[in-house]
Amino acid sequence: MTVSITLATTRRILAQLRHDPRTVVMLVLVPTLLMLLLRFVFNSAEVFSRIAPALLGVFPFVIMFLIASITTLRERTAGTLERLMTMPLGKFDLLAGYALAFGLVAVLQVAVATAVSLWWLGLAVSGSVWSLLLITVLDALLGMALGLFVSAFATSEFQAVQFMPLFVLPQTLLCGLFQPRDEMGWVLHWLSDVMPLSYAVEALTQVTRSAEWTMPLTRNILIVLGCAVLALGLGAATLRRRTP
């Protein structure tokens, strides 16, 4: 990987986002607005504090998946990737540039949503706020990495959106958000064990309920980080210059 090429790709993506204010608003404010809506739906700080931490990870995960997959596909269908890859630009350089650009956006996205949830909506967290921020940012990066990966298999933006029920919704249903994973049938429990969002939600729950940094928490964070890196690697291996 060449650092200068990666940074050039990052600057290009950020410049494009700067000229697309609707996308920027969606990326930064939608998770916060959803948390605000959730708070008034339950109208209880206690219930909100029990459910909100997991959704602080789920909302950015879903949004970054959609944005990353559609943006990458749009550049391929427009021929931008084909022109870029005639230059001394490796596939991983390209995806690393995307990851860094969207990673910076994810940090801003998560910071705004977390700050509003903690200091305005009454979210109570027993653990470190920095730990909460770290996990939610990793979760957003995981969604971004999976979005970059699946974009290689889509031929249109509509197909990219169709991957959401396959890659995102099953993880949301089986991550422990609606039903404790230990109470699921063995097949569903096994499926949840191979889905990275399960470990992100478990880590967020641990940070919310305990101030102690434990080995399971470290394991869950490393699994989420490893899955994001793996998805980026697979995305680089399957990235095509153009869409047939």
Side-chain angles (χ1 to χ4, degrees):
M1 186 178 72
T2 306
V3 175
S4 59
I5 295 177
T6 299
L7 293 178
T9 303
T10 300
R11 288 193 295 270
R12 182 177 63 82
I13 299 302
L14 292 176
Q16 289 178 347
L17 289 175
R18 192 164 57 246
H19 292 89
D20 188 357
R22 287 179 297 181
T23 299
V24 173
V25 169
M26 175 182 175
L27 283 170
V28 176
L29 295 184
V30 166
T32 302
L33 294 176
L34 290 174
M35 297 303 293
L36 181 65
L37 178 63
L38 183 71
R39 174 64 178 83
F40 288 104
V41 165
F42 290 109
N43 199 28
S44 168
E46 181 180 353
V47 177
F48 178 73
S49 294
R50 187 169 64 248
I51 297 176
L55 292 176
L56 266 177
V58 171
F59 289 155
F61 173 84
V62 174
I63 293 172
M64 294 304 292
F65 176 91
L66 286 172
I67 294 297
S69 58
I70 292 174
T71 300
T72 308
L73 179 65
R74 184 178 299 169
E75 293 218 321
R76 194 170 72 244
T77 54
T80 304
L81 287 185
E82 186 176 13
R83 292 192 296 272
L84 288 172
M85 293 177 68
T86 59
M87 304 169 61
L89 175 69
K91 292 181 179 181
F92 197 78
D93 292 322
L94 184 65
L95 288 189
Y98 275 96
L100 184 55
F102 285 121
L104 294 174
V105 175
V107 170
L108 178 60
Q109 178 190 72
V110 167
V112 172
T114 304
V116 171
S117 298
L118 288 171
W119 291 298
W120 187 26
L121 303 182
L123 174 63
V125 177
S126 298
S128 168
V129 174
W130 294 109
S131 300
L132 182 70
L133 282 171
L134 171 64
I135 299 167
T136 49
V137 167
L138 286 177
D139 211 16
L141 291 176
L142 175 64
M144 175 271 304
L146 287 175
L148 293 176
F149 169 58
V150 304
S151 68
F153 303 99
T155 58
S156 67
E157 293 182 15
F158 180 66
Q159 283 190 3
V161 174
Q162 286 179 317
F163 278 114
M164 184 176 170
L166 180 62
F167 282 86
V168 174
L169 294 185
Q171 295 196 62
T172 304
L173 293 174
L174 299 178
C175 68
L177 179 62
F178 301 103
Q179 175 78 0
R181 295 170 60 218
D182 292 338
E183 298 180 12
M184 297 179 182
W186 71 269
V187 174
L188 296 182
H189 191 278
W190 179 83
L191 288 173
S192 71
D193 283 341
V194 299
M195 294 179 175
L197 189 60
S198 300
Y199 300 96
V201 170
E202 186 174 331
L204 287 168
T205 302
Q206 290 174 324
V207 169
T208 305
R209 297 178 180 177
S210 173
E212 183 180 0
W213 188 282
T214 63
M215 286 301 297
L217 178 59
T218 302
R219 180 206 64 186
N220 291 333
I221 291 175
L222 290 176
I223 288 174
V224 174
L225 177 61
C227 289
V229 174
L230 177 61
L232 281 177
L234 292 173
T238 57
L239 184 65
R240 293 175 290 168
R241 292 173 180 261
R242 63 193 303 177
T243 297

